[in-house]
Amino acid sequence: MTSHLAVLQVVTPLLAAPVVVILHNKTLGWLIATLVSLSCFIIACVLCLQIYDGNNIVYTLGGWAAPAGIEYHVDRLTAFLLIIISGLATFILIGARESIDNEISADRLYLFYTAFLLNLTGLLGVIVTGDAFNVFVFIEIASLSSYALISIGRDKRSLYAAYQYLIFGTIGASFILIAIGLMYAVTGTLNIHDLHERLAHVQDSRTLITALAFFIIGIGLKAAIWPLHIWLPDAYTYSPSIVSTFLAGTSTKVFIYVLIRFVFSIFGIEFSINELSVQYILMSVALIAIVYGSLQAIKQDSLKRLLAYSSIAQIGYMILAISLVTVAGVAAGLIHVFNHAIIKVTLFLCVANIIYFTGTDSINKLAGLGKQMPVTCGLFVIAGLSIIGVPLTAGFTSKWFLIKATIDSGYWLVIPVIVISSLMAIVYIWKVVEQIYFKEADHAHVVTNKAMPYSMYVSLFVFTAACIYFGLQTDINVGLAQLIADDLIGARP
Amino acid sequence: MIILEHINYWVVVILMMTGFYVVISHNNLVKKLIGINIFQTSIFILFISFGKVDGGTAPILSEGYQNFSAPLPHVLILTAIVVGIATTALGLALVIRINRAFNTVEDDEIKKAMSQ
Amino acid sequence: MSSSSMLLVAVLVPLLGAIGIYITGKHPNLRETVTLIAAGLLLLIVYSLLPGVLAGARPEYKFFEIFPGLDVAFRLEPLGMLFACIASLLWPVNSIYSIGYMRGNNEKKQTCFYICFAVAIASTIGIAFSANLITLFIFYETLTLSTYPLVTHKGNDAAKKSGRVYLGILLTTSICLLLPAIIWIYSIADTTAFTEGGILPATTHKSVLLALLLMTTYGIGKAAVMPVHRWLPAAMVAPTPVSALLHAVAVVKAGVFSIVKIMTYIFSPAVLSEQLDINFVIYLSSFTIIAASFVALQADNLKRRLAYSTISQLSYVVLATALLAPLSILGAALHILAHAFGKITLFFAAGSIYTAAHKTLVSELDGIGYKMPITMLAFTIGSLSMIGVPPTAGFVSKWFILQGSFSVDSTVAIAVIVLSTLLNAGYFLPIVYRAFLKKPDGAEQSIHEAPLPMVMALSFTALMTIILFFYPDLALSLLEPWLESLS
């Protein structure tokens, strides 16, 4: 049984999805989805323990050996991401029922859980598979289900947001497919490890450059890297809160993973840097993303949209860290992938609660909310401090490692950008804090005064606790991230 | 005759750009989806043309079939076609719902309705 | 209880006090009792640590390690001890004064006021006890955040605007300059711990040292070196007890304390004086001393005048530290002490005048000395201490700073100190003159001395200012081993 753990990661949610459809029951749907996510999380943890020493697991699907068959490959990077994704799925779902019931019409609830499970399948599949074409298939599974998830709510604008995302997403995925096709054309293999070995000997670098270019654009669309991010704000704003929460925490992270995997493990650093100076392209794009995202976030009135733009800025941080191409830099990027997932999910869960309570996420209508929802607002402040990067929260660790990696690499001019964008983060978080704590309640706005069900606090508390825990104890995430960075860049200084 | 040698690539590029142009330029959501389809088809052709060997036959494991085209791209593209169909289906489903919600499938009119 | 765990208790007491204040918020008498008990307890705890430090003990308390080389920890050394003593001694005094002031002026949201005050004191103690830069940074920021509600206490637009300036400048400087400087230092030295003799190796390049020096000087906005001083006058919209304890003692002293601590424990004075040909910090602080004095000269609002005087006096400490002479560094530490008592007396007096006579302008103070003799007497003592006239504490610290400047032949410093002494006299003595020698307008007969708690508090601090002149031995015996450990 234990030898099949790698594939169970994908198969379990995939099989559970049709079961949920057949059962046609929202409670059972929730139960199954949560249990499946939990089992994936446990499997991911077990896998992580197994490969922690560096003994990677290779699982051949159906017993067909590598070049012809499909391999699943678990190394530290894989395990790291698997834990993030399945962990987020589990802990978001545990407390999500009330919010989901509230924002999605009753006849579609079982479909929500189906789409959720399919999405989970796709995301986990992308990570665990060792086959380039398989990556594309799983990306499409994840994307198609996320289009459905976004449009499942009551807000009719979500339909258009989903459609937009569909167009951009499909183009992105197709670009990635072209890149994979070109690589296949030069090497005759799709296995990621074979690809790496054979690409090293390929002389015809023009095809490869084309492949790399297609890949970078495709992944940029998918991971919402500036300027290819335009689908993201709408998608996060109009979709049901729990969907925004889950997507913000997981989907872009997975594409960052694909970027790391392809650039470092397939194309190889030497090639990526020398032939296409990917490093500088990514770095400049990341810097713009950081500033642009933060600036836009300041301007927003919708809380969800604010967080969406903040995500764009934060994705910029991750790309920036990775583009340093040093062990410290990649480690910082991975640490931020981990921490940002937790922080952003906490923030979105707060918004989910606020929307449940007030029915709006417009900041101007939230005056005096601090008195009405003390717990949620308090937790929002903690998570907000974390995204700013205040010491003793997870966000601080990320920034610390990012700035240190930048100093070590000698990119002095980058530091002011990081620092200034932290200030902008203060501004957009402060904007909310001032409104909910320091403005008198305006009685014109509608407060439904629904009693908040306790279950809605469960996930929120878990993630806030994580925000603080990973600010104080960094052994797990930082330790693992540094090992992974060593694996990826190895002896390279 | 370098152009003819690479005829498959030319076809692919032309198809791809046509599809892309349709997606960008058209205002009608259904037409955009058609554009996406053309775009994807070009990629299918790209893959299949990789696998084609001059004078190659269908890949059958039997006597007399020495020189055959690579089978893997075909398999891949079968999968990709399924994915493409799923995308189109989902896209069309969205368009139907958008039409019900906004009473239009024109991009600019929907944007106008949303900004209100 | 061991003295290491006492460090933790010292920070927890005001925090628990804050919770107690929150719980008893509905009953003002009970609430004030809680404040006073917490203040008294803190005083006892801090002073119980004093004998140990005098005997050479350096208790440590480690909370946890964020990652290797970066932990949140306390370590008590003489300078921190001195600062903790000042803060913990003045908290009860200030609490007594606050009770008179807040009730006398019928201020609203008093519970919130006392809670934030307690948290601010906890942060101040945290800063004093910090064992490394990161701990210092954390408490530095909590101090900023906990004092924000105090600055905006009035809740009107002016207060909110000032609050934005306050928060904006202090957060911006600390995040843009101090934090990168800390990370830079960590990246050079692999630690941020305050170590005797500094942690930056003597081989560090000159330009790096200079950059770090400027980053920390301006990153610590609380030290109010121009041009990052604007927050201090802005903070004067707060109720006077806040201005008194926080913006004459805790917050601003936390700023200069951090600078002294970084100059001595992170940089080493020996390395600095060897490496730096031109020490810009001397010029920056000199400019601040003179410029702030000129602004103070023209300010008619009493609190504003005091605020600019504070800015000028803070730069004395920065200047004295930047001279890098042992005597001047000693003077800097003493000046933290002397200025604390002198300036809090002045603010207490300003608050008394506001409470009793509702006057805020210097030009309205004619003849007030006869109506409020004790207050104005205390004010006079405070002024003398600011100018540096014996027998007040200000004389002692200025004496050491001057001696230090002579020992390194810094003509700039000597000139600045002499000139600023004249300027100090120029803006304080006219107030004393008005109060005692000018005839009152006569229309107002109803002015009496301020409420008893306020008078008690300001007499105490005035008295302390004089006592410190005659008995500076305790402070000196605390600081001497510290000074030796530097060289």
Side-chain angles (χ1 to χ4, degrees), chain C residues 13-196:
Chain C
V13 162
L15 288 180
L16 292 176
I19 296 171
I21 295 164
Y22 178 72
I23 294 168
T24 56
K26 295 248 165 61
H27 316 281
N29 289 332
L30 205 58
R31 180 186 66 200
E32 260 80 300
T33 318
V34 173
T35 308
L36 288 175
I37 291 175
L41 264 179
L42 178 67
L43 185 66
L44 280 179
I45 294 167
V46 170
Y47 280 81
S48 76
L49 290 165
L50 189 56
V53 177
L54 280 171
R58 301 284 179 267
E60 291 179 29
Y61 184 90
K62 187 167 160 184
F63 288 90
F64 45 77
E65 190 174 57
I66 299 182
F67 35 81
L70 197 70
D71 36 42
V72 178
F74 286 156
R75 177 168 177 278
L76 189 56
E77 42 69 59
L79 188 64
M81 188 72 234
L82 178 75
F83 185 42
C85 284
I86 300 172
S88 62
L89 177 60
L90 288 176
W91 189 29
V93 179
N94 191 73
S95 301
I96 295 171
Y97 181 87
S98 303
I99 295 167
Y101 182 92
M102 298 302 276
R103 293 188 178 182
N105 287 310
N106 286 324
E107 295 274 351
K108 53 187 174 140
K109 292 198 285 188
Q110 293 194 16
T111 308
C112 172
F113 172 86
Y114 286 109
I115 292 175
C116 293
F117 221 109
V119 177
I121 293 294
S123 318
T124 312
I125 299 292
I127 292 175
F129 289 174
S130 300
N132 51 41
L133 278 172
I134 204 69
T135 317
L136 186 126
F137 181 75
I138 292 166
F139 284 107
Y140 183 95
E141 295 295 13
T142 51
L143 183 57
T144 310
L145 294 177
S146 61
T147 44
Y148 172 79
L150 294 174
V151 172
T152 57
H153 187 86
K154 282 203 177 119
N156 54 17
D157 283 341
K160 274 188 188 150
K161 202 174 149 218
S162 302
R164 272 205 200 105
V165 174
Y166 182 80
L167 211 56
I169 293 183
L170 289 182
L171 283 181
T172 310
T173 50
S174 65
I175 289 177
C176 282
L177 297 168
L178 183 58
L179 188 59
I182 293 175
I183 301 178
W184 197 354
I185 289 168
Y186 176 77
S187 143
I188 296 173
D190 268 333
T191 174
T192 65
F194 293 122
T195 318
E196 278 83 2

Side-chain angles (χ1 to χ4, degrees), chain B residues 53 55-60 62-69:
Chain B
V53 176
T57 60
I60 299 169
S62 174
E63 284 290 313
Y65 295 96
Q66 303 297 327
N67 189 18
F68 53 81
S69 300

Side-chain angles (χ1 to χ4, degrees), chain A residues 108 133 137 140 144 147 151 156-157 159-160 163 166-167 170-171 174-175 177-178 181 184-185 190 238, chain B residues 16 23 29 32 39-40 43 47 50 72-73 76 83 87 90 94-95 97-98 101-102 107 110-111 114:
Chain A
R108 291 200 196 127
F133 188 77
V137 175
E140 280 297 49
L144 285 170
Y147 309 143
S151 60
K156 66 179 182 177
R157 290 172 297 184
L159 296 169
Y160 185 69
Y163 180 86
L166 180 134
I167 298 289
T170 308
I171 294 174
S174 306
F175 272 30
L177 183 60
I178 296 172
Y184 173 74
L190 286 168
Y238 300 129
Chain B
M16 191 184 281
V23 177
L29 298 188
K32 273 178 190 286
F39 182 76
Q40 284 182 319
I43 302 169
F47 264 72
F50 287 153
L72 194 57
L76 300 182
V83 171
T87 314
L90 186 62
L94 279 174
V95 174
R97 282 187 56 200
I98 288 173
F102 294 92
D107 209 26
I110 297 168
K111 273 187 188 142
M114 276 174 69

Side-chain angles (χ1 to χ4, degrees), chain C residues 22 30 35 46 100 138 168 174 212 223 245-246 250 275 321 407 479:
Chain C
Y22 178 72
L30 205 58
T35 308
V46 170
I138 292 166
S174 65
L212 281 174
L245 186 57
L246 298 177
Q275 289 261 351
T321 321
S407 74
L479 292 171

